[in-house]
Amino acid sequence: MENAEKRKVVFSGIQPSGNITLGNYIGALRNFTLFDDADCLYCLADLHTLTVRQNPAELRRRTASLAAIYVACGLDPDKNIIYCQSHVPAHAELAWILNCYTYMGELSRMTQFKDKSQKHADNINAGLFDYPVLMASDILLYQTDIVPVGVDQKQHVEICRDIAQRFNGIYGDVFTVPEPYIPKATAKIMSLAEPERKMSKSDPEDTYIAILDKPEDIRRKLKRAVTDSDGEIRFDPETKPGVSNLLTILSVLKKETMKETVSAMQGLGYGALKEAVSEAVIAELTPIQQRYNEIIADKDALNAMLGRNAERAYALARRTLRKVYKKVGLYQL
Ligand code: ATP
Ligand code: LTN
């Protein structure tokens, strides 16, 4: 008998804008595999990357690479719709409509916009300002229930909810209002160089571990990771952000509670902690890298997968878009 309850829809995306980091993996990607009994869509958010100037050849390479990383991290492309945002024109189309239901005031309050405007002061373009509306379109096109992201994206999911509710308030129940999925412990992995700041793929190489880093790079970067001078292994993100970040990474990858990790490490030095983190990271990433190398070696198969999945996504997206066009009064043939 068919299950009467509607399956949940899960949607998320990552920008192919740099090397995918351990922060992206722990904060987002790893969680993408948790929704076995839902309909999941994971996009390569290539349109979003254009809000910051990209090297075209690099962007193409990184997009294919991120698709291979998704699969290598355990997302089965037959079960999950893994596709490239720019291959489904409905994203840009819905973004235009939703632009007309989003206020300048609310967009100018977005912290990511403020941060990125500071970082790219020579290129504060309209796309950067409008970024959250495109992201809302991504999510709302598929009648998404759950959006797994890191905590830095929480505000964007909230504005998406506001836009959906506003639209529904005018036209009836057109959009599902989504919920973010942000497990607290792993919501924000910190930079190795400045543990008060988020680990970010647009920062210098030595501040993050990339999913595709070699074991020797992982060991070198972790050896240099900033800690503190009191020498005690203790979980206290406020006063010991560096050590606490290492403990978080360790406990997550070893699938232990923080208490278990801390008691296993207590009394040891920071050198031993860094060594333990290195081993755990290498053990996690090695099989992913092996699968990645196989997947990326067969570009035809990868492209066929992306083509197939873009069609599946477009078929779903078109339904919502058609409804929206009708509701707002665009002339239908
Ligand atoms: P950029 O630095 O280019 O803005 P980013 O490293 O923040 O990029 P995104 O593509 O913006 O990466 O993020 C992809 C996903 O990974 C999002 O869900 C984001 O919240 C999550 N994420 C990114 N960095 C971290 C982190 N350090 N800790 C936890 N989650 C993270
Ligand atoms: N803006 C996100 C990437 C992203 C996304 C989405 C995440 C684009 N579209 C839809 C969740 C849902 C970021 O992580 N920087």
Side-chain angles (χ1 to χ4, degrees):
M1 202 181 85
E2 207 176 312
N3 189 348
E5 208 167 292
K6 181 183 162 281
R7 275 161 70 90
K8 295 273 187 220
V9 177
V10 177
F11 186 97
S12 195
I14 297 182
Q15 302 183 74
S17 56
N19 298 319
I20 302 305
T21 71
L22 191 66
N24 296 137
Y25 178 71
I26 293 179
L29 247 174
R30 213 177 43 109
N31 295 335
F32 294 178
T33 60
L34 299 177
F35 303 95
D36 256 353
D37 49 4
D39 292 329
C40 302
L41 298 105
Y42 298 112
C43 83
L44 313 160
D46 57 348
L47 294 174
H48 277 110
T49 70
L50 301 179
T51 56
V52 170
R53 204 64 76 226
Q54 303 289 327
N55 172 313
E58 272 291 290
L59 176 58
R60 269 189 287 272
R61 188 189 62 74
R62 286 189 165 132
T63 304
S65 173
L66 181 54
I69 288 177
Y70 277 6
V71 180
C73 286
L75 295 174
D76 178 343
D78 292 325
K79 295 204 180 114
N80 301 275
I81 304 186
I82 295 172
Y83 71 102
C84 192
Q85 187 187 30
S86 67
H87 294 176
V88 177
H91 291 252
E93 293 173 284
L94 182 60
W96 173 255
I97 306 286
L98 295 185
N99 270 329
C100 305
Y101 297 83
T102 309
Y103 299 115
M104 304 287 283
E106 55 189 346
L107 288 176
S108 55
R109 284 194 292 276
M110 295 289 112
T111 39
Q112 182 178 295
F113 172 67
K114 291 188 227 166
D115 291 350
K116 298 237 163 169
S117 311
Q118 253 179 15
K119 218 161 157 184
H120 306 278
D122 56 340
N123 183 21
I124 306 175
N125 59 68
L128 195 64
F129 189 66
D130 200 34
Y131 184 114
V133 180
L134 180 59
M135 180 161 157
S137 306
D138 298 343
I139 297 168
L140 299 179
L141 268 179
Y142 301 97
Q143 306 295 345
T144 301
D145 298 285
I146 305 164
V147 186
V149 282
V151 75
D152 61 298
Q153 293 301 312
K154 188 167 181 232
Q155 201 183 28
H156 286 163
V157 180
E158 278 162 5
I159 196 177
C160 170
R161 288 169 55 85
D162 292 343
I163 296 169
Q165 279 161 345
R166 183 173 306 143
F167 197 93
N168 287 349
I170 306 170
Y171 300 106
D173 278 344
V174 176
F175 296 124
T176 301
V177 180
E179 299 280 348
Y181 176 86
I182 310 174
K184 193 160 175 269
T186 54
K188 195 173 182 186
I189 300 299
M190 308 312 252
S191 155
L192 299 179
E194 290 174 78
E196 306 76 23
R197 293 185 41 195
K198 184 185 82 138
M199 180 182 284
S200 167
K201 59 173 133 73
S202 46
D203 282 345
E205 286 252 358
D206 266 12
T207 66
Y208 64 78
I209 290 168
I211 291 195
L212 300 179
D213 271 350
K214 295 193 191 71
E216 59 266 33
D217 295 324
I218 294 171
R219 286 204 185 86
R220 176 178 45 81
K221 289 179 183 181
L222 281 165
K223 256 191 200 133
R224 289 196 200 147
V226 168
T227 49
D228 54 55
S229 56
D230 85 2
E232 193 192 340
I233 296 184
R234 182 159 51 81
F235 183 72
D236 182 353
E238 286 293 307
T239 60
K240 295 171 71 66
V243 169
S244 302
N245 191 39
L246 295 176
L247 286 169
T248 298
I249 296 171
L250 187 58
S251 80
V252 168
L253 296 186
K254 297 203 84 169
K255 301 188 171 63
E256 296 172 343
T257 62
M258 182 53 78
K259 212 167 160 199
E260 288 167 339
T261 302
V262 172
S263 71
M265 296 313 292
Q266 220 148 32
L268 301 177
Y270 291 169
L273 173 62
K274 289 175 170 182
E275 190 51 40
V277 177
S278 300
E279 292 317 311
V281 171
I282 292 166
E284 181 83 10
L285 297 185
T286 303
I288 292 176
Q289 294 178 358
Q290 282 163 353
R291 284 194 293 274
Y292 172 84
N293 289 332
E294 287 165 21
I295 297 160
I296 203 74
D298 191 350
K299 267 287 172 55
D300 290 344
L302 189 69
N303 288 345
M305 179 280 279
L306 289 174
R308 232 177 14 248
N309 276 328
E311 278 177 33
R312 288 167 75 196
Y314 199 16
L316 297 169
R318 254 196 303 257
R319 282 194 227 158
T320 302
L321 191 66
R322 212 177 293 131
K323 198 163 165 190
V324 168
Y325 276 17
K326 193 167 164 202
K327 290 282 185 185
V328 299
L330 297 180
Y331 186 59
Q332 312 279 302
L333 298 181

